[in-house]
Amino acid sequence: MPDPTQYAGKDDTLAYLFGTGREELLDLVRSRDKWASDPTLPTRDINKHGAGGMCHSFSHTEEKRNMEATVGWDWYYIHGGREKLAKRQKTRHLSLEEGHEYLPRPAKGSQGFLMGPYGKQNLYTIGTGKAMSVGDAWRSVTEVSNEEGGGSNSQKGKREGWILNIGRKIRCMDWAPNQSGSMQLLALSTPGSASEAQHDHSQAHGEPLKAPAFTASPPTPACIQIWGFSASTAAKREGWLDMSRTPKLQMVVCTEWGDAKQLKWCPMPRDSRESDGDGNVYLGLLAGLWGDGRVKVLDLRIDTDWDSPTSYLKLDSAAFDARPPNTLCTCLTWLSNSDLAVGCTNGFVAIWSISHPPPLPTKPPTNEPPLPSSSSSPSIPWFYQYIHPTYILAITSAYPSNPHLLITTSMDGYPRLTDLRAPTTDTVLSTRSRIGPAVLAWCEPLSAAISAEENDFIRVYPLRRFFSSISVARHESFVLSLAVGTAHPFVLAGGADGAVVATNPMRRVLNSKIAQAQQVWFQHEWTRRGGGVVRFSEGFKVESTKMLRTLAGDAKVKDGTVFATIHEEETGVTALAWNPNVVYGGWAAAGMGSGLVRVEDLAL
């Protein structure tokens, strides 16, 4: 079947990719008029033609958002959901000394890195748990620009952002949604020191290594760190970072379930209620996968006072805890504010409703860990279906427009689209990749899934033409992380070479004949020399890229063979996240294998 994006006219292309429905086409046209003119990064302000800026997707209307934010949460506030979750979640506060036992223990107390203008970089050092302004490395350029601008108020050359040193490789991160205040909160996790020490002990004593992807880890201590970033409250700087306040570690959630491998806040809108006002800010529901192979949901509140010390919260049990028998959970996504879909190592997908948590265990807890196939309080999923023949790598839903549609990728290399209303018949595969894509995200303005293919290509899978895909960007290395904006359609892709590529997929999808633009946000490189030193390179220009791999002139092809470069593990960009709150939708966070986290407002 010929590809309509290559041979058909624009009208036919829109019909093939987005359908002929009036509402679908109107939403697409509004999205095109607003964002298609921006090549790589979102803009902060709306121009005189109404283009630019950030907003909710046009398909997610205000009426739908209000319904979800009010009536959608009645199960939690009115029908006893909060009380049931609170009864199951056992928490206690720890002292500073007790809490430090759960924090990652880096090999060294500080991280040195080179940063600044090209050719004029200087060496800086950040201690573990500390932060530094990006603008400090560009101060010389800023001062010269201000002198040329005729005053100290000139913004030319000014860089605003933060570099954090967490101390260990960033495994996952996610911004807290529904936060309209001046503090924005970022949850992140790292590998626990105890789990790595146990792995090293097994290797040193010659103990047989079990497949970690298919084996639950022992209950080692680990933590989730929640960092607060201050937003400016000035009239003309709404949505900007407040560089006068250094980011602060607001809360440490301490657990003994192994490492937190994936974290996702419930993204559905929620209006605050009077019952939330207990002195703390209600963060919402945080779902995660831990090393024990189980999916858990935490119901969290936090003190957002800048002057208060970091709080250490120990969780003895979660508000919701489940796992299918004889398998492990590998990935998760929210379908609604009460339904959670999870991919498993056996290729099945399980969906639970947390509004009906399992009953509390009748037997007293013991010190013995449960068997892999048993649970003291089993929770039966309302959906448990065979989707892939092997290990599921990533999962996402088509929320908010089509939350009943589920997109998955697995080690078989096939992305799959499944309709939960008829999963055995209404399902379709896309083109196979030789390497199973581990990154997957949903782009609502395009009604399409976005993933990586063949190591380095970023491809769009339109909902109505899922069996084919469209290349929208190309990375120079294996793609490790991917983020798609909620308040805009722009994509960030982090690679094993430490580069973060930004692009606007809408331009290429709507017009395949234009030259696709992409831009490197920064390049992060780590070297063993000097005990481990990092170099940041930035200031990359916008460039056009070719979406076809040819045998001649391609840097990755030699003697007719496609090859990939192996990089240091600490060099890779392992986690990316756009802020989902519309006012702060241009804020992006990138976590590296070196333990550094970079947070910057990328809105132009």
PDB file of all heavy atoms in Angstrom, residues 323-353:
ATOM      1  N   ARG A 323       0.515  -7.484  42.319  1.00  0.00           N
ATOM      2  CA  ARG A 323       1.369  -8.124  41.322  1.00  0.00           C
ATOM      3  C   ARG A 323       0.699  -9.400  40.845  1.00  0.00           C
ATOM      4  O   ARG A 323       0.199 -10.175  41.666  1.00  0.00           O
ATOM      5  CB  ARG A 323       2.742  -8.458  41.909  1.00  0.00           C
ATOM      6  CG  ARG A 323       3.775  -8.856  40.859  1.00  0.00           C
ATOM      7  CD  ARG A 323       5.073  -9.306  41.483  1.00  0.00           C
ATOM      8  NE  ARG A 323       5.044 -10.703  41.882  1.00  0.00           N
ATOM      9  CZ  ARG A 323       6.048 -11.328  42.503  1.00  0.00           C
ATOM     10  NH1 ARG A 323       7.135 -10.640  42.832  1.00  0.00           N
ATOM     11  NH2 ARG A 323       5.952 -12.596  42.823  1.00  0.00           N
ATOM     12  N   PRO A 324       0.672  -9.638  39.531  1.00  0.00           N
ATOM     13  CA  PRO A 324       0.117 -10.906  39.054  1.00  0.00           C
ATOM     14  C   PRO A 324       0.991 -12.069  39.510  1.00  0.00           C
ATOM     15  O   PRO A 324       2.196 -11.899  39.758  1.00  0.00           O
ATOM     16  CB  PRO A 324       0.132 -10.755  37.525  1.00  0.00           C
ATOM     17  CG  PRO A 324       0.272  -9.293  37.281  1.00  0.00           C
ATOM     18  CD  PRO A 324       1.046  -8.754  38.435  1.00  0.00           C
ATOM     19  N   PRO A 325       0.436 -13.266  39.612  1.00  0.00           N
ATOM     20  CA  PRO A 325       1.224 -14.422  40.071  1.00  0.00           C
ATOM     21  C   PRO A 325       2.232 -14.867  39.021  1.00  0.00           C
ATOM     22  O   PRO A 325       1.998 -14.784  37.816  1.00  0.00           O
ATOM     23  CB  PRO A 325       0.161 -15.492  40.318  1.00  0.00           C
ATOM     24  CG  PRO A 325      -0.973 -15.119  39.415  1.00  0.00           C
ATOM     25  CD  PRO A 325      -0.968 -13.610  39.386  1.00  0.00           C
ATOM     26  N   ASN A 326       3.385 -15.323  39.500  1.00  0.00           N
ATOM     27  CA  ASN A 326       4.412 -15.965  38.663  1.00  0.00           C
ATOM     28  C   ASN A 326       4.968 -15.041  37.585  1.00  0.00           C
ATOM     29  O   ASN A 326       5.374 -15.497  36.512  1.00  0.00           O
ATOM     30  CB  ASN A 326       3.864 -17.239  38.019  1.00  0.00           C
ATOM     31  CG  ASN A 326       3.350 -18.228  39.042  1.00  0.00           C
ATOM     32  OD1 ASN A 326       3.990 -18.455  40.064  1.00  0.00           O
ATOM     33  ND2 ASN A 326       2.179 -18.790  38.792  1.00  0.00           N
ATOM     34  N   THR A 327       4.987 -13.762  37.835  1.00  0.00           N
ATOM     35  CA  THR A 327       5.569 -12.816  36.887  1.00  0.00           C
ATOM     36  C   THR A 327       5.932 -11.542  37.627  1.00  0.00           C
ATOM     37  O   THR A 327       5.638 -11.391  38.823  1.00  0.00           O
ATOM     38  CB  THR A 327       4.599 -12.510  35.728  1.00  0.00           C
ATOM     39  OG1 THR A 327       5.275 -11.728  34.743  1.00  0.00           O
ATOM     40  CG2 THR A 327       3.382 -11.749  36.233  1.00  0.00           C
ATOM     41  N   LEU A 328       6.575 -10.607  36.932  1.00  0.00           N
ATOM     42  CA  LEU A 328       6.966  -9.320  37.506  1.00  0.00           C
ATOM     43  C   LEU A 328       6.397  -8.194  36.666  1.00  0.00           C
ATOM     44  O   LEU A 328       6.203  -8.335  35.456  1.00  0.00           O
ATOM     45  CB  LEU A 328       8.495  -9.178  37.560  1.00  0.00           C
ATOM     46  CG  LEU A 328       9.284 -10.243  38.312  1.00  0.00           C
ATOM     47  CD1 LEU A 328      10.775  -9.921  38.241  1.00  0.00           C
ATOM     48  CD2 LEU A 328       8.840 -10.334  39.758  1.00  0.00           C
ATOM     49  N   CYS A 329       6.124  -7.068  37.300  1.00  0.00           N
ATOM     50  CA  CYS A 329       5.669  -5.873  36.593  1.00  0.00           C
ATOM     51  C   CYS A 329       6.869  -5.146  36.008  1.00  0.00           C
ATOM     52  O   CYS A 329       7.900  -4.985  36.679  1.00  0.00           O
ATOM     53  CB  CYS A 329       4.894  -4.956  37.532  1.00  0.00           C
ATOM     54  SG  CYS A 329       3.444  -5.725  38.290  1.00  0.00           S
ATOM     55  N   THR A 330       6.765  -4.691  34.764  1.00  0.00           N
ATOM     56  CA  THR A 330       7.891  -4.067  34.074  1.00  0.00           C
ATOM     57  C   THR A 330       7.660  -2.606  33.706  1.00  0.00           C
ATOM     58  O   THR A 330       8.615  -1.845  33.575  1.00  0.00           O
ATOM     59  CB  THR A 330       8.213  -4.842  32.789  1.00  0.00           C
ATOM     60  OG1 THR A 330       7.063  -4.815  31.927  1.00  0.00           O
ATOM     61  CG2 THR A 330       8.554  -6.288  33.105  1.00  0.00           C
ATOM     62  N   CYS A 331       6.418  -2.181  33.488  1.00  0.00           N
ATOM     63  CA  CYS A 331       6.122  -0.814  33.070  1.00  0.00           C
ATOM     64  C   CYS A 331       4.687  -0.503  33.435  1.00  0.00           C
ATOM     65  O   CYS A 331       3.878  -1.423  33.647  1.00  0.00           O
ATOM     66  CB  CYS A 331       6.364  -0.625  31.565  1.00  0.00           C
ATOM     67  SG  CYS A 331       5.546  -1.870  30.527  1.00  0.00           S
ATOM     68  N   LEU A 332       4.348   0.777  33.501  1.00  0.00           N
ATOM     69  CA  LEU A 332       3.002   1.150  33.937  1.00  0.00           C
ATOM     70  C   LEU A 332       2.546   2.423  33.260  1.00  0.00           C
ATOM     71  O   LEU A 332       3.355   3.214  32.757  1.00  0.00           O
ATOM     72  CB  LEU A 332       2.945   1.301  35.456  1.00  0.00           C
ATOM     73  CG  LEU A 332       3.765   2.422  36.104  1.00  0.00           C
ATOM     74  CD1 LEU A 332       2.973   3.715  36.212  1.00  0.00           C
ATOM     75  CD2 LEU A 332       4.227   2.010  37.495  1.00  0.00           C
ATOM     76  N   THR A 333       1.236   2.633  33.271  1.00  0.00           N
ATOM     77  CA  THR A 333       0.636   3.873  32.786  1.00  0.00           C
ATOM     78  C   THR A 333      -0.725   4.032  33.434  1.00  0.00           C
ATOM     79  O   THR A 333      -1.377   3.043  33.809  1.00  0.00           O
ATOM     80  CB  THR A 333       0.511   3.866  31.250  1.00  0.00           C
ATOM     81  OG1 THR A 333       0.090   5.155  30.802  1.00  0.00           O
ATOM     82  CG2 THR A 333      -0.517   2.843  30.788  1.00  0.00           C
ATOM     83  N   TRP A 334      -1.166   5.283  33.583  1.00  0.00           N
ATOM     84  CA  TRP A 334      -2.488   5.580  34.124  1.00  0.00           C
ATOM     85  C   TRP A 334      -3.508   5.615  32.983  1.00  0.00           C
ATOM     86  O   TRP A 334      -3.269   6.253  31.952  1.00  0.00           O
ATOM     87  CB  TRP A 334      -2.491   6.923  34.840  1.00  0.00           C
ATOM     88  CG  TRP A 334      -1.754   6.948  36.146  1.00  0.00           C
ATOM     89  CD1 TRP A 334      -0.442   7.263  36.340  1.00  0.00           C
ATOM     90  CD2 TRP A 334      -2.295   6.658  37.443  1.00  0.00           C
ATOM     91  NE1 TRP A 334      -0.121   7.184  37.671  1.00  0.00           N
ATOM     92  CE2 TRP A 334      -1.241   6.814  38.382  1.00  0.00           C
ATOM     93  CE3 TRP A 334      -3.549   6.282  37.896  1.00  0.00           C
ATOM     94  CZ2 TRP A 334      -1.419   6.614  39.742  1.00  0.00           C
ATOM     95  CZ3 TRP A 334      -3.731   6.076  39.256  1.00  0.00           C
ATOM     96  CH2 TRP A 334      -2.670   6.238  40.166  1.00  0.00           C
ATOM     97  N   LEU A 335      -4.650   4.944  33.176  1.00  0.00           N
ATOM     98  CA  LEU A 335      -5.760   5.016  32.232  1.00  0.00           C
ATOM     99  C   LEU A 335      -6.792   6.049  32.669  1.00  0.00           C
ATOM    100  O   LEU A 335      -7.448   6.679  31.853  1.00  0.00           O
ATOM    101  CB  LEU A 335      -6.439   3.657  32.089  1.00  0.00           C
ATOM    102  CG  LEU A 335      -5.564   2.492  31.613  1.00  0.00           C
ATOM    103  CD1 LEU A 335      -6.406   1.235  31.489  1.00  0.00           C
ATOM    104  CD2 LEU A 335      -4.897   2.811  30.298  1.00  0.00           C
ATOM    105  N   SER A 336      -6.960   6.189  33.962  1.00  0.00           N
ATOM    106  CA  SER A 336      -7.843   7.186  34.565  1.00  0.00           C
ATOM    107  C   SER A 336      -7.302   7.455  35.959  1.00  0.00           C
ATOM    108  O   SER A 336      -6.242   6.925  36.330  1.00  0.00           O
ATOM    109  CB  SER A 336      -9.290   6.686  34.614  1.00  0.00           C
ATOM    110  OG  SER A 336      -9.418   5.620  35.548  1.00  0.00           O
ATOM    111  N   ASN A 337      -8.021   8.268  36.729  1.00  0.00           N
ATOM    112  CA  ASN A 337      -7.511   8.548  38.071  1.00  0.00           C
ATOM    113  C   ASN A 337      -7.715   7.388  39.033  1.00  0.00           C
ATOM    114  O   ASN A 337      -7.314   7.483  40.198  1.00  0.00           O
ATOM    115  CB  ASN A 337      -8.167   9.806  38.637  1.00  0.00           C
ATOM    116  CG  ASN A 337      -9.689   9.736  38.602  1.00  0.00           C
ATOM    117  OD1 ASN A 337     -10.280   8.668  38.557  1.00  0.00           O
ATOM    118  ND2 ASN A 337     -10.326  10.892  38.623  1.00  0.00           N
ATOM    119  N   SER A 338      -8.292   6.290  38.559  1.00  0.00           N
ATOM    120  CA  SER A 338      -8.466   5.122  39.423  1.00  0.00           C
ATOM    121  C   SER A 338      -8.046   3.814  38.766  1.00  0.00           C
ATOM    122  O   SER A 338      -8.088   2.771  39.429  1.00  0.00           O
ATOM    123  CB  SER A 338      -9.935   4.999  39.866  1.00  0.00           C
ATOM    124  OG  SER A 338     -10.792   4.837  38.744  1.00  0.00           O
ATOM    125  N   ASP A 339      -7.640   3.847  37.506  1.00  0.00           N
ATOM    126  CA  ASP A 339      -7.260   2.623  36.794  1.00  0.00           C
ATOM    127  C   ASP A 339      -5.801   2.695  36.364  1.00  0.00           C
ATOM    128  O   ASP A 339      -5.363   3.702  35.790  1.00  0.00           O
ATOM    129  CB  ASP A 339      -8.156   2.405  35.573  1.00  0.00           C
ATOM    130  CG  ASP A 339      -9.591   2.098  35.970  1.00  0.00           C
ATOM    131  OD1 ASP A 339      -9.822   1.003  36.489  1.00  0.00           O
ATOM    132  OD2 ASP A 339     -10.458   2.968  35.770  1.00  0.00           O
ATOM    133  N   LEU A 340      -5.096   1.601  36.610  1.00  0.00           N
ATOM    134  CA  LEU A 340      -3.663   1.541  36.370  1.00  0.00           C
ATOM    135  C   LEU A 340      -3.356   0.309  35.531  1.00  0.00           C
ATOM    136  O   LEU A 340      -3.733  -0.812  35.889  1.00  0.00           O
ATOM    137  CB  LEU A 340      -2.923   1.464  37.714  1.00  0.00           C
ATOM    138  CG  LEU A 340      -1.446   1.804  37.756  1.00  0.00           C
ATOM    139  CD1 LEU A 340      -1.212   3.242  37.338  1.00  0.00           C
ATOM    140  CD2 LEU A 340      -0.911   1.575  39.163  1.00  0.00           C
ATOM    141  N   ALA A 341      -2.680   0.520  34.383  1.00  0.00           N
ATOM    142  CA  ALA A 341      -2.302  -0.580  33.494  1.00  0.00           C
ATOM    143  C   ALA A 341      -0.823  -0.879  33.661  1.00  0.00           C
ATOM    144  O   ALA A 341       0.007   0.034  33.728  1.00  0.00           O
ATOM    145  CB  ALA A 341      -2.612  -0.232  32.041  1.00  0.00           C
ATOM    146  N   VAL A 342      -0.493  -2.162  33.697  1.00  0.00           N
ATOM    147  CA  VAL A 342       0.877  -2.599  33.964  1.00  0.00           C
ATOM    148  C   VAL A 342       1.260  -3.681  32.968  1.00  0.00           C
ATOM    149  O   VAL A 342       0.483  -4.619  32.724  1.00  0.00           O
ATOM    150  CB  VAL A 342       1.008  -3.140  35.410  1.00  0.00           C
ATOM    151  CG1 VAL A 342       2.394  -3.720  35.640  1.00  0.00           C
ATOM    152  CG2 VAL A 342       0.730  -2.045  36.416  1.00  0.00           C
ATOM    153  N   GLY A 343       2.457  -3.550  32.375  1.00  0.00           N
ATOM    154  CA  GLY A 343       3.019  -4.599  31.539  1.00  0.00           C
ATOM    155  C   GLY A 343       3.840  -5.559  32.376  1.00  0.00           C
ATOM    156  O   GLY A 343       4.412  -5.180  33.398  1.00  0.00           O
ATOM    157  N   CYS A 344       3.940  -6.834  31.932  1.00  0.00           N
ATOM    158  CA  CYS A 344       4.603  -7.868  32.723  1.00  0.00           C
ATOM    159  C   CYS A 344       5.680  -8.570  31.910  1.00  0.00           C
ATOM    160  O   CYS A 344       5.747  -8.449  30.685  1.00  0.00           O
ATOM    161  CB  CYS A 344       3.569  -8.884  33.215  1.00  0.00           C
ATOM    162  SG  CYS A 344       2.235  -8.159  34.201  1.00  0.00           S
ATOM    163  N   THR A 345       6.509  -9.330  32.610  1.00  0.00           N
ATOM    164  CA  THR A 345       7.602 -10.040  31.945  1.00  0.00           C
ATOM    165  C   THR A 345       7.097 -11.176  31.063  1.00  0.00           C
ATOM    166  O   THR A 345       7.805 -11.594  30.144  1.00  0.00           O
ATOM    167  CB  THR A 345       8.554 -10.617  33.004  1.00  0.00           C
ATOM    168  OG1 THR A 345       7.814 -11.481  33.888  1.00  0.00           O
ATOM    169  CG2 THR A 345       9.194  -9.513  33.822  1.00  0.00           C
ATOM    170  N   ASN A 346       5.907 -11.682  31.309  1.00  0.00           N
ATOM    171  CA  ASN A 346       5.372 -12.792  30.507  1.00  0.00           C
ATOM    172  C   ASN A 346       4.573 -12.330  29.300  1.00  0.00           C
ATOM    173  O   ASN A 346       3.941 -13.147  28.629  1.00  0.00           O
ATOM    174  CB  ASN A 346       4.507 -13.705  31.381  1.00  0.00           C
ATOM    175  CG  ASN A 346       3.352 -12.962  32.039  1.00  0.00           C
ATOM    176  OD1 ASN A 346       3.176 -11.764  31.835  1.00  0.00           O
ATOM    177  ND2 ASN A 346       2.568 -13.676  32.838  1.00  0.00           N
ATOM    178  N   GLY A 347       4.557 -11.015  29.018  1.00  0.00           N
ATOM    179  CA  GLY A 347       3.847 -10.499  27.859  1.00  0.00           C
ATOM    180  C   GLY A 347       2.396 -10.160  28.110  1.00  0.00           C
ATOM    181  O   GLY A 347       1.703  -9.725  27.186  1.00  0.00           O
ATOM    182  N   PHE A 348       1.923 -10.303  29.351  1.00  0.00           N
ATOM    183  CA  PHE A 348       0.549  -9.965  29.682  1.00  0.00           C
ATOM    184  C   PHE A 348       0.458  -8.504  30.128  1.00  0.00           C
ATOM    185  O   PHE A 348       1.444  -7.917  30.576  1.00  0.00           O
ATOM    186  CB  PHE A 348       0.035 -10.866  30.809  1.00  0.00           C
ATOM    187  CG  PHE A 348      -0.412 -12.228  30.350  1.00  0.00           C
ATOM    188  CD1 PHE A 348       0.510 -13.161  29.897  1.00  0.00           C
ATOM    189  CD2 PHE A 348      -1.754 -12.579  30.370  1.00  0.00           C
ATOM    190  CE1 PHE A 348       0.109 -14.420  29.480  1.00  0.00           C
ATOM    191  CE2 PHE A 348      -2.168 -13.836  29.952  1.00  0.00           C
ATOM    192  CZ  PHE A 348      -1.233 -14.757  29.513  1.00  0.00           C
ATOM    193  N   VAL A 349      -0.731  -7.955  30.023  1.00  0.00           N
ATOM    194  CA  VAL A 349      -1.048  -6.637  30.558  1.00  0.00           C
ATOM    195  C   VAL A 349      -2.133  -6.805  31.610  1.00  0.00           C
ATOM    196  O   VAL A 349      -3.160  -7.453  31.355  1.00  0.00           O
ATOM    197  CB  VAL A 349      -1.513  -5.668  29.461  1.00  0.00           C
ATOM    198  CG1 VAL A 349      -2.110  -4.398  30.066  1.00  0.00           C
ATOM    199  CG2 VAL A 349      -0.351  -5.303  28.548  1.00  0.00           C
ATOM    200  N   ALA A 350      -1.910  -6.226  32.787  1.00  0.00           N
ATOM    201  CA  ALA A 350      -2.875  -6.281  33.884  1.00  0.00           C
ATOM    202  C   ALA A 350      -3.359  -4.873  34.190  1.00  0.00           C
ATOM    203  O   ALA A 350      -2.573  -3.919  34.147  1.00  0.00           O
ATOM    204  CB  ALA A 350      -2.247  -6.904  35.127  1.00  0.00           C
ATOM    205  N   ILE A 351      -4.641  -4.732  34.477  1.00  0.00           N
ATOM    206  CA  ILE A 351      -5.235  -3.437  34.818  1.00  0.00           C
ATOM    207  C   ILE A 351      -5.992  -3.587  36.130  1.00  0.00           C
ATOM    208  O   ILE A 351      -6.863  -4.456  36.253  1.00  0.00           O
ATOM    209  CB  ILE A 351      -6.173  -2.929  33.707  1.00  0.00           C
ATOM    210  CG1 ILE A 351      -5.432  -2.837  32.371  1.00  0.00           C
ATOM    211  CG2 ILE A 351      -6.743  -1.567  34.086  1.00  0.00           C
ATOM    212  CD1 ILE A 351      -6.304  -2.390  31.214  1.00  0.00           C
ATOM    213  N   TRP A 352      -5.643  -2.737  37.078  1.00  0.00           N
ATOM    214  CA  TRP A 352      -6.310  -2.725  38.373  1.00  0.00           C
ATOM    215  C   TRP A 352      -7.082  -1.426  38.551  1.00  0.00           C
ATOM    216  O   TRP A 352      -6.717  -0.387  37.991  1.00  0.00           O
ATOM    217  CB  TRP A 352      -5.304  -2.833  39.517  1.00  0.00           C
ATOM    218  CG  TRP A 352      -4.704  -4.180  39.726  1.00  0.00           C
ATOM    219  CD1 TRP A 352      -5.208  -5.205  40.456  1.00  0.00           C
ATOM    220  CD2 TRP A 352      -3.452  -4.646  39.217  1.00  0.00           C
ATOM    221  NE1 TRP A 352      -4.363  -6.288  40.436  1.00  0.00           N
ATOM    222  CE2 TRP A 352      -3.269  -5.965  39.685  1.00  0.00           C
ATOM    223  CE3 TRP A 352      -2.464  -4.078  38.410  1.00  0.00           C
ATOM    224  CZ2 TRP A 352      -2.150  -6.721  39.373  1.00  0.00           C
ATOM    225  CZ3 TRP A 352      -1.350  -4.823  38.104  1.00  0.00           C
ATOM    226  CH2 TRP A 352      -1.208  -6.139  38.576  1.00  0.00           C
ATOM    227  N   SER A 353      -8.107  -1.497  39.361  1.00  0.00           N
ATOM    228  CA  SER A 353      -8.829  -0.312  39.806  1.00  0.00           C
ATOM    229  C   SER A 353      -8.450  -0.057  41.261  1.00  0.00           C
ATOM    230  O   SER A 353      -8.783  -0.867  42.138  1.00  0.00           O
ATOM    231  CB  SER A 353     -10.343  -0.511  39.666  1.00  0.00           C
ATOM    232  OG  SER A 353     -11.029   0.608  40.207  1.00  0.00           O
TER     233      SER A 353
END
